[in-house]
Amino acid sequence: MLAVINVLGSMLMLFSVTYLMPIVTSLIYSDGLFVDFVYAAFGCLAAGAGLVALTRRHKRELRSRDGFLLVTLAWVFMSAIATVPFLIALPGLSFTDAFFEAMSGLSTTGATVLTGLDTMAPSLNLWRHALIWYGGMGIIVLVVAILPMLGVGGMQLYKAETPGPVKNEKLTPRITQTARALWVVYFLITLACIGSLRLAGMNWFDAICHAFSTMGLGGFSTRDASIGAYDSVRIELVLIVFMLISAMNFSRHFIAWQQRSLRTYATDAEARAMFWLLGVAILGVTVYIWMHGVYPSFWTCLRHVAFNLVAFSTTSGFVTQDYAAWPAFAPMVIVMLSCYTCNTGSTGGGIKMFRSLVLLRQATRELFLLVHPQAVTPVKIRNQVVSNHIVFAVLAFVVLYFGTVVTLTFMLLASGMDFISAFTAIIATINNAGPGLGVVGPASNYQGLTDFQTWVCSLAMLLGRLEIFSVLVLLTPTFWRK
């Protein structure tokens, strides 16, 4: 335990560096928050240094279960520390709402309790979006590249935090090189997104903020009306492209960049399934709302469906229209797509396409075995056999996922929330997708929730970002036995 606290202290010291962007932004815009962010940075640095100093004699290589404990503690502590700028700059904001906003950023959920974003201090607005950018690839993966310099190994952290069921695949011989390689790719695509949004019509500040949100698939915006405030087809097309890029496995982007070839994408079963699913869903929902006369022309329907469906299904959560007002079938399809669309190793949330494919292949195998009980039919993905222990792990994850959704939904129902709002709020937060339907729909936000409801949604965001297992394993007696 003390060794975990030692590493946590090192991580908090490194987290203090994240305040540099809002500090510089505050100087540029003279928004009066420079001193506040400096105090917050030094407070974070001092807290980390204090933990390191108190536990310096207990530094050692982490075991696997240390990694699960550390990654959960790190996400909670960093979210708590990230509330400081909100509490200072927005005196009327409660700690509950400030923690929700910080957790929403670091978990790349993009749900917000704040209004008046159009006039918010630039440094505070950038801080919200920077949290998503850091959380997108995973602050822990960033730290994995640096902690070895402090004498601490990182493989256990990488396995505990990296999204998806296949966590032992390494792109380079050393885990630190893998983390750095992923961050280089992440950074370069972010620059491309910033430049594209600027060319599409955004100013530099908005382009940077929205690129951070897009790469982390978080969905925070500098406008209360989100992307709908720009009413620009070019901006929407740029965001669709980069949301799809961010929803794909980043190891594919690294391999494509390393080999200077796009061939790796053609062999990616997850990416192919994602594009087929989105293509069919966009066409189907477009025809559906066009037949119901929601918009005057088919092309207007296609524009609004394509953007909002891609945004929510990739768990980004950007909004241009109040799709909750569409006929009920359409918004429910959009909400449920967020469970399955994103690829393993992406910055998105949900069950992930890999698990969905495994479940589909397993169901197909069981149906086949009913007719041919003596047949040998292994589950295959990417023309490779998926071992039974991975199939069982996927089944266990899905059981825990839906069990968690049901449990948290009933907690919100018990607090007085209506069913549609409660169910979609949990789906949106556990998938790290942002807005739901009902009182938390795209035309509103999470500001109207009670403190209890807000904490339930914060828990859902944490569970979703760390993919449930990493958190729930801490509740088992076996974990704490020596």
Side-chain angles (χ1 to χ4, degrees):
M1 185 67 177
L2 292 177
V4 171
I5 293 175
N6 181 269
V7 179
L8 178 63
S10 299
M11 293 169 66
L12 293 181
M13 292 172 65
L14 292 170
F15 187 66
S16 65
V17 178
T18 63
Y19 287 90
L20 287 177
M21 277 200 288
I23 287 173
V24 172
T25 303
S26 184
L27 282 175
I28 294 173
Y29 287 92
S30 301
D31 60 10
L33 296 181
F34 171 77
V35 175
D36 297 331
F37 274 107
V38 170
Y39 283 152
F42 274 107
C44 181
L45 181 63
L51 292 178
V52 170
L54 291 172
T55 58
R56 64 183 182 275
R57 295 182 180 178
H58 301 275
K59 185 185 297 186
R60 59 170 172 78
E61 181 69 18
L62 298 181
R63 298 186 296 269
S64 295
R65 61 180 181 179
D66 293 330
F68 291 119
L69 177 61
L70 179 57
V71 76
T72 303
L73 289 177
W75 226 269
V76 172
F77 272 79
M78 289 180 183
S79 296
I81 288 175
T83 65
V84 174
F86 296 117
L87 293 172
I88 294 176
L90 305 170
L93 193 69
S94 68
F95 176 77
T96 295
D97 286 345
F99 185 87
F100 179 92
E101 194 77 12
M103 177 61 78
S104 181
L106 283 174
S107 64
T108 74
T109 302
T112 184
V113 294
L114 302 180
T115 55
L117 303 177
D118 301 70
T119 56
M120 180 176 286
S123 58
L124 190 63
N125 229 333
L126 181 70
W127 176 241
R128 298 170 64 242
H129 294 81
L131 290 176
I132 284 181
W133 192 70
Y134 291 126
M137 183 59 73
I139 294 176
I140 308 303
V141 175
L142 173 64
V143 173
V144 162
I146 300 173
L147 281 182
M149 302 180 197
L150 307 177
V152 181
M155 185 59 179
Q156 290 80 5
L157 295 183
Y158 179 78
K159 289 172 64 178
E161 194 278 335
T162 302
V166 183
K167 305 186 181 190
N168 292 318
E169 179 181 344
K170 295 190 288 185
L171 308 179
T172 56
R174 296 177 60 84
I175 187 59
T176 54
Q177 295 174 8
T178 298
R180 289 168 186 158
L182 291 174
W183 266 104
V184 167
V185 173
Y186 190 60
F187 180 75
L188 291 176
I189 299 176
T190 302
L191 291 181
C193 187
I194 292 171
S196 299
L197 288 173
R198 181 68 182 92
L199 291 174
M202 282 189 180
N203 60 47
W204 281 113
F205 180 79
D206 283 359
I208 292 171
C209 288
H210 286 92
F212 284 175
S213 276
T214 303
M215 293 308 301
L217 293 176
F220 275 163
S221 177
T222 57
R223 306 294 184 91
D224 285 323
S226 191
I227 305 303
Y230 299 95
D231 192 22
S232 169
V233 175
R234 290 187 299 174
I235 289 175
E236 291 167 22
L237 287 174
V238 168
L239 290 174
I240 286 174
V241 170
F242 282 96
M243 284 189 290
L244 292 174
I245 290 173
S246 298
M248 296 171 66
N249 192 322
F250 267 79
S251 66
R252 293 291 172 183
H253 301 323
F254 173 78
I255 294 169
W257 173 61
Q258 190 179 49
Q259 296 179 349
R260 304 296 189 270
S261 171
L262 300 178
R263 186 177 303 172
T264 183
Y265 297 113
T267 62
D268 190 345
E270 282 188 286
R272 291 201 308 269
M274 179 183 74
F275 283 109
W276 271 106
L277 177 64
L278 290 178
V280 171
I282 289 171
L283 181 60
V285 175
T286 297
V287 171
Y288 180 79
I289 69 168
W290 177 54
M291 292 175 63
H292 281 74
V294 177
Y295 298 105
S297 72
F298 177 84
W299 298 110
T300 302
C301 291
L302 180 61
R303 171 192 171 183
H304 295 317
V305 168
F307 182 84
N308 289 280
L309 188 146
V310 169
F312 202 97
S313 61
T314 59
T315 73
S316 174
F318 286 131
V319 173
T320 60
Q321 299 287 303
D322 182 12
Y323 51 79
W326 295 351
F329 171 79
M332 287 307 297
V333 167
I334 291 174
V335 169
M336 295 312 295
L337 281 174
S338 67
C339 299
Y340 310 104
T341 302
C342 291
N343 292 185
T344 302
S346 71
T347 57
I351 294 174
K352 302 292 175 56
M353 185 58 73
F354 179 88
R355 292 190 180 101
S356 303
L357 291 174
V358 170
L359 287 175
L360 182 61
R361 304 288 167 80
Q362 173 66 9
T364 303
R365 178 171 70 169
E366 291 301 324
L367 289 174
F368 182 80
L369 289 175
L370 288 175
V371 181
H372 304 283
Q374 302 302 320
V376 178
T377 56
V379 173
K380 291 185 177 181
I381 304 288
R382 303 170 187 165
N383 293 321
Q384 296 182 352
V385 175
V386 178
S387 63
N388 283 333
H389 85 270
I390 291 181
V391 175
F392 297 150
V394 168
L395 292 172
F397 175 85
V398 172
V399 169
L400 285 176
Y401 173 87
F402 284 109
T404 302
V405 168
V406 170
T407 301
L408 296 182
T409 297
F410 271 98
M411 290 175 69
L412 291 185
L413 289 174
S415 70
M417 188 179 289
D418 66 278
F419 175 75
I420 291 296
S421 298
F423 175 68
T424 59
I426 295 303
I427 288 291
T429 49
I430 202 169
N431 290 342
N432 308 124
L437 301 175
V439 298
V440 294
S444 57
N445 62 19
Y446 288 72
Q447 189 177 53
L449 272 58
T450 65
D451 284 354
F452 174 77
Q453 293 166 346
T454 301
W455 282 110
V456 170
C457 290
S458 296
L459 174 61
M461 289 189 283
L462 177 67
L463 289 168
R465 186 62 184 94
L466 301 184
E467 300 216 339
I468 302 177
F469 271 127
S470 299
V471 179
L472 294 188
V473 71
L474 303 181
L475 304 180
T476 62
T478 305
F479 179 84
W480 299 101
R481 290 177 188 152
K482 293 184 179 180

